[in-house]
């Protein structure tokens, strides 16, 4: 049985990397006595797949991990069981059963929502400049990977933007961008491109990056995007 778990990662856990998060989750599953399915071979391990690694220093309320189980209680009971033995900073907010032949969250991620909270006020002139920046038909960044360096067109990968303000009066920027293996855009890359276009130093607008949600795209080929949350692809177990 395939299960998709949604969870938040906050607090000091933002400082641990993806591999440590995975090990932590495996221990939580064992402590909660989840009836996990294990791989075969000389070193069996829980069958577990995360949607998309979260960068060190980031927090999130929209993380996903797919697991396989041999049996399960209701979604509500399983969430309570797992949260009871979880660690500070990881909280389960969703537990749904996936269709038998469903793809993994990792292979389906197509977009993500982020909320950038700025450490300094963002004046209207900067907000207007950002709107002008987005009016460009093309925005090219130079991307370095372990294997190569390349120029990347990012303007079509920026789906939605909106400046907001939280209850503390801090300026925020909502970003919905392309995500996943096909075309992954990080908010940091958007802000670096904006700084370069405006000819100001990188880091002149320091911010904390918080992931809100991840989506699959159910649109047919060459049609407008039809984004749905990864959680909505499963069913709540009563």
């Amino acid at each position: 049985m395939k299960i998709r778990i949604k969870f938040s990662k906050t607090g000091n856990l933002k400082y641990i990397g993806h591999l440590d998060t995975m090990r932590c989750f495996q221990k939580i599953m064992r402590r909660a006595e989840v009836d996990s399915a294990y791989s075969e071979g000389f070193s069996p391990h829980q069958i577990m797949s995360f949607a998309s690694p979260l960068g060190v220093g980031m927090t999130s309320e929209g993380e996903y991990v797919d697991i396989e189980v041999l049996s399960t209680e209701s979604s509500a009971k399983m969430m309570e069981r797992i949260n009871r033995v979880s660690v500070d900073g990881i909280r389960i907010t969703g537990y749904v059963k996936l269709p038998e032949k469903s793809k993994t969250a990792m292979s389906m991620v197509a977009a993500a929502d982020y909320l950038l909270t700025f450490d300094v006020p963002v004046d209207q002139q900067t907000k207007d400049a950002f709107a002008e920046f987005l009016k460009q038909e093309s925005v090219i960044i130079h991307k370095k990977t372990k294997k190569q360096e390349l120029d990347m067109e990012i303007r079509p990968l920026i789906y939605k933007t909106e400046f907001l303000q939280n209850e503390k009066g801090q300026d925020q920027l909502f970003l919905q961008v392309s995500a996943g293996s096909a075309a992954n855009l990080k908010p940091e890359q958007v802000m670096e491109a904006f700084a370069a276009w405006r000819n100001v130093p990188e880091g002149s607008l320091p911010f904390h990056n918080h992931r809100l949600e991840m989506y699959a795209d159910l649109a047919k080929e060459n049609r407008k995007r039809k984004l749905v949350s990864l959680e909505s692809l499963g069913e709540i177990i009563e």
Side-chain angles (χ1 to χ4, degrees), residues 19-238:
L19 290 179
D20 286 329
T21 300
M22 182 174 65
R23 296 187 188 102
C24 180
F25 230 91
Q26 291 170 343
K27 292 178 181 178
I28 292 171
M29 295 297 104
R30 288 195 290 267
R31 285 200 295 266
E33 297 183 345
V34 175
D35 191 13
S36 301
Y38 281 75
S39 63
E40 299 179 353
F42 292 104
S43 181
H45 59 272
Q46 297 176 49
I47 301 175
M48 181 179 294
S49 173
F50 286 79
S52 180
L54 189 68
V56 175
M58 289 178 58
T59 55
S60 176
E61 60 193 74
E63 297 305 287
Y64 289 93
V65 58
D66 291 346
I67 65 173
E68 290 191 22
V69 299
L70 302 178
S71 64
T72 182
E73 292 187 287
S74 69
S75 295
K77 288 183 178 179
M78 293 304 297
M79 289 169 60
E80 192 278 329
R81 273 175 56 180
I82 298 170
N83 282 325
R84 192 191 315 142
V85 299
S86 187
V87 297
D88 289 340
I90 288 183
R91 180 167 181 80
I92 309 304
T93 59
Y95 184 101
V96 295
K97 179 182 177 182
L98 297 173
E100 187 61 32
K101 295 183 179 181
S102 61
K103 297 180 180 179
T104 64
M106 179 185 295
S107 66
M108 295 201 71
V109 174
D113 291 343
Y114 295 92
L115 188 64
L116 314 186
T117 301
F118 296 99
D119 298 332
V120 296
V122 182
D123 57 36
Q124 190 59 48
Q125 184 179 9
T126 300
K127 294 177 182 179
D128 292 342
F130 191 76
E132 289 299 317
F133 166 73
L134 293 176
K135 289 180 181 179
Q136 300 178 97
E137 292 184 2
S138 175
V139 178
I140 305 293
I141 64 170
H142 190 67
K143 185 177 180 180
K144 294 183 179 180
T145 67
K146 294 181 179 179
K147 296 183 179 180
Q148 61 180 338
E149 296 186 19
L150 51 89
D151 289 332
M152 179 179 175
E153 170 63 79
I154 68 169
R155 184 58 192 92
L157 308 181
I158 304 172
Y159 300 155
K160 295 180 182 178
T161 69
E162 182 182 3
F163 277 100
L164 306 167
Q165 200 171 64
N166 64 16
E167 65 280 358
K168 297 180 181 179
Q170 294 174 292
D171 288 303
Q172 298 177 305
L173 176 62
F174 169 82
L175 282 175
Q176 184 179 89
V177 296
S178 176
S181 57
N184 190 65
L185 180 60
K186 298 178 181 179
E188 291 82 1
Q189 293 171 318
V190 176
M191 300 310 294
E192 288 169 7
F194 174 55
W197 175 82
R198 206 180 179 206
N199 198 26
V200 298
E202 288 184 21
S204 57
L205 279 177
F207 60 86
H208 169 69
N209 190 1
H210 179 75
R211 184 148 64 192
L212 296 170
E213 185 59 274
M214 283 188 275
Y215 301 94
D217 187 357
L218 301 186
K220 302 298 182 180
E221 190 173 354
N222 298 324
R223 293 190 179 180
K224 189 176 180 179
R225 291 183 299 275
K226 184 180 179 182
L227 301 181
V228 298
S229 71
L230 294 177
E231 182 180 20
S232 68
L233 297 176
E235 295 183 354
I236 293 175
I237 305 169
E238 299 296 343

